[in-house]
Structures are given as C-alpha cells and as structure tokens.
Amino acid sequence: MPTAKTSSQPLYPAYLPTRPDGYAATIDVPPFEGNEPGTRADPAKPHLLRPDVEVTNITPRIGTELRGIQLSKLSQEGLDEIALFAAERGVLVFRDQDFADIGFERQLEIAKHYGPLHQHPTMGYPEGTGPEFHVVFADENAGNLRTLLGPRTSYDLWHIDQTFTRNVPSTTFFWVLEMPASGGGDTAFTSLTAAYEALSPTFKSLLAPLSLFHTSASVGEVARVGTERALREAVSTTHPLVIRHPVTGKPSLFVNPTIARRIEGMLPEESDTLLKFLNDHIKSLDFSCRVRWEKGSVVVWDQRSAAHTAVPDFKDGERRHMVRIIPYGSQTKPAFPDMYGKTNEST
C-alpha cells in the first residue's frame, strides 16, 4: 500500500477553519436600504489610478490588475473608488498586498465599509472570529470542491454568492494565504454585463419582464448538509432576471446556476430550457477571465457585475488556503421597470 502523505504546517495556522458552534440555519436577512460607496466615488479615481500604480487589464471586457498600491492604506475616498472600479471592471486583482497580515479587525473594518457582512451558516472561520470570515481550505484531509461534488466530468461551479435574499452581495474581498505547491487553483470570473450585451435585441426583450427564483438550497449546500436539511432551512426570494446595476446603471444578466432555480410564470420545461441557455452563455470565454493566484494577492469583485467559479485543478492532497468576506449591497431593481413583470397573455 502507498504510504500516507506527510502534511506540512500551514503558513497561516491562525486562519484554519473552525466551527465550534456547528452548522447554523441560513439567515433570512430582512430588506434594508443598501450602502453603495461606488456612487459617491470620483470617476477619475485619483486615489487608485496614480502615476506610480501599474494598471493592466486582464481582458478588454473584464478584470484589471493593480500593482503599487496597498488596500490597507487607502482612505475612505480610495475605498469608494474601489467599489466604482470593481462595478465597472467586474473584478480587480491587487498584487503584493499586506492584507493577509493586517489582522482580523482591520480586515473586517475595510470590508464593512461596503455594507453589513454575510454570516455563512456552514463554512469554517478562524478561531476567535465569526462567520463573517469564510475560510476556503483544501488539503489531504479536508478535500476540495471535487470531493464536495463527487464524481463528475468537470468541476466548474459558476455562481454568484448568496443571492437568496432581497439585498445581494456587492464588493467582495477574497485573499490568498497559501497556494497548491504544484500550481493550479485559480479562480475564473465572467462579466454579467458583457454577457447581457452580447444578446440580440429580440432576446433582450424576451428577458426584460422576467423574474428568477433564488434559494439557499443550492447545489453546494445540498452536497454539504444534505437535501433534507437544505430544503428545510431554505431561504428564498425572486430577483429580476435583468437587473440595473446600482453603481454603473448598466443592465446585468442576474443568473446564478447554483442558486437560481426557475423563471417565474413559466412551465418547468420552458424555464429549464431558457436557464440552460443562459447558464451556459455566461461561461463563454468571450467575456470571462482566469485569475492566477500568487503570494500577496487580494481579489475584489462586484457580484452584480461578475459571476465566478473555483478551478479545482490542483493535485489531490495539496493545500489551498483562502479567505473571503462578503458585504451586502442594495436590493436588486429591474433594468427595465416599464417592461418588468408584464407578459403577453393569450385569450
């Protein structure tokens, strides 16, 4: 028999996932007036786009890398500019950051600038903190996304986080502590605004009136806690299928393959067919990018502008250690209110 792999110590043991209180029920967050810092930002972004900051677009449609600036040192105005820039570009990748070393309180302080923080009901968090921290951890014992989902031909899991409440995630922070030694473990993002823009005018007019049912009984939660518990504790809501982004004002295709289950007012076969097209459509390489993680990287993305998936292509048993914090933004609004909810009923 092969010998068991000897595990090294994690680089950041204080960030190992714990869950001393066990799994909690999903929180049904009551609707509230959301905070959108991007709406008060200077469009010129003088605190971000300084002459000494290296700014490189990953693709023309989504993703921008920034070097030469520290997130932890930004003023309130600079943090506002991040919200605007993330809304415009979908995802920002900040390199050479000290974010992993500034401590729990400072990390929370920065994230709270963008709104109340989501408390995850099942993910582990660092000892002494709380469920506002979502530790994404894989090693030879914990497994990874492939372990969670079981045998499949491919392991992408495109989604927007936690869209089952009226207020939805906004400017989200995700940072790396340790990457697989042999490489891999990237995160891919896709532009929901570019995905909408790629559609024909006729198809856009079909989507404008529609709403989509979202539920916390997602693919991941069913795999994690079981169907019975996921359904029993499910929190659900509906959102417009095409939303107006609260910062940019642009239409965004608000589909969520793991959480959004049916189009309201359609028969199951109709809904399934349309959602299959839309869920496949947003995955296109035409408006997506792949972010390669490296030491000191922090990704900030706007979950109304971009969907994402882990890429669990790294070797089994290797460690991948990440942390995420999700602020809530405003409630969704239809991109075309004059058309929203109106259908042509035959007599």
Side-chain angles (χ1 to χ4, degrees):
M1 295 179 61
T3 57
K5 185 181 296 184
T6 301
S7 175
S8 62
Q9 291 298 311
L11 296 179
Y12 285 82
Y15 283 84
L16 286 172
T18 66
R19 194 81 200 194
D21 51 348
Y23 290 163
T26 300
I27 298 174
D28 189 359
V29 178
F32 62 91
E33 192 66 31
N35 175 32
E36 294 292 345
T39 60
R40 59 178 181 252
D42 183 340
K45 308 177 191 70
H47 298 82
L48 290 184
L49 305 183
R50 305 190 313 251
D52 60 321
V53 177
E54 181 182 343
V55 180
T56 307
N57 285 347
I58 301 174
T59 79
R61 291 179 172 170
I62 183 171
T64 297
E65 288 196 6
L66 298 96
R67 295 180 186 269
I69 191 168
Q70 284 294 336
L71 282 168
S72 62
K73 304 299 192 295
L74 285 174
S75 64
Q76 301 294 297
E77 292 80 10
L79 294 177
D80 289 348
E81 291 171 20
I82 285 179
L84 174 58
F85 206 15
E88 293 171 341
R89 294 295 301 157
V91 55
L92 307 177
V93 184
F94 292 88
R95 301 296 192 186
D96 307 316
Q97 298 296 299
D98 62 4
F99 202 83
D101 301 305
I102 61 176
F104 303 136
E105 292 304 316
R106 179 61 177 143
Q107 291 161 353
L108 286 174
E109 180 184 17
I110 292 172
K112 286 179 179 177
H113 180 80
Y114 301 96
L117 304 181
H118 172 68
Q119 299 182 45
H120 203 285
T122 59
M123 294 184 73
Y125 49 82
E127 184 177 1
T129 66
E132 296 86 359
F133 287 90
H134 312 156
V135 177
V136 180
F137 185 79
D139 67 1
E140 72 277 12
N141 297 314
N144 56 34
L145 181 63
R146 305 169 85 92
T147 311
L148 177 68
L149 296 179
R152 295 176 58 165
T153 57
S154 63
Y155 287 85
D156 62 86
L157 194 67
W158 288 97
H159 64 286
I160 312 165
D161 291 317
Q162 323 302 330
T163 58
F164 43 77
T165 54
R166 290 304 307 161
N167 291 77
V168 296
S170 58
T171 311
T172 299
F173 285 71
F174 196 33
W175 66 97
V176 61
L177 302 174
E178 190 170 354
M179 287 305 299
S182 300
D186 298 348
T187 303
F189 295 85
T190 190
S191 172
L192 300 174
T193 52
Y196 175 79
E197 290 167 359
L199 300 171
S200 69
T202 300
F203 202 83
K204 290 176 181 176
S205 67
L206 169 68
L207 302 183
L210 302 179
S211 58
L212 192 54
F213 175 80
H214 296 239
T215 177
S216 63
S218 66
V219 174
E221 287 307 292
V222 168
R224 194 191 312 271
V225 303
T227 301
E228 182 179 351
R229 175 172 177 173
L231 292 175
R232 183 176 69 249
E233 298 179 352
V235 174
S236 304
T237 194
T238 59
H239 295 290
L241 201 156
V242 183
I243 65 169
R244 178 186 181 276
H245 195 286
V247 176
T248 66
K250 292 184 176 181
S252 182
L253 190 57
F254 205 61
V255 296
N256 191 344
T258 65
I259 289 178
R261 295 300 180 84
R262 68 173 184 268
I263 298 172
E264 299 290 351
M266 285 191 173
L267 297 173
E269 298 91 341
E270 298 167 339
S271 175
D272 291 348
T273 299
L274 185 51
L275 281 181
K276 183 181 187 308
F277 167 77
L278 293 173
N279 291 340
D280 290 341
H281 174 66
I282 67 168
K283 302 176 186 179
S284 173
L285 293 175
D286 200 26
F287 27 79
S288 63
C289 70
R290 182 163 168 158
V291 172
R292 180 179 58 82
W293 292 99
E294 58 186 49
K295 180 178 174 58
S297 295
V298 179
V299 163
V300 182
W301 81 97
D302 189 310
Q303 303 226 37
R304 289 79 53 94
S305 295
H308 65 284
T309 181
V311 185
D313 57 352
F314 51 97
K315 287 184 178 179
D316 288 343
E318 291 194 338
R319 186 178 298 119
R320 181 179 185 267
H321 196 179
M322 322 283 291
V323 186
R324 179 185 67 190
I325 302 180
I326 302 176
Y328 284 107
S330 55
Q331 300 173 48
T332 57
K333 295 181 179 179
F336 306 100
D338 292 344
M339 299 174 65
Y340 182 64
K342 296 180 181 179
T343 58
N344 295 321
E345 297 183 0
S346 59
T347 56

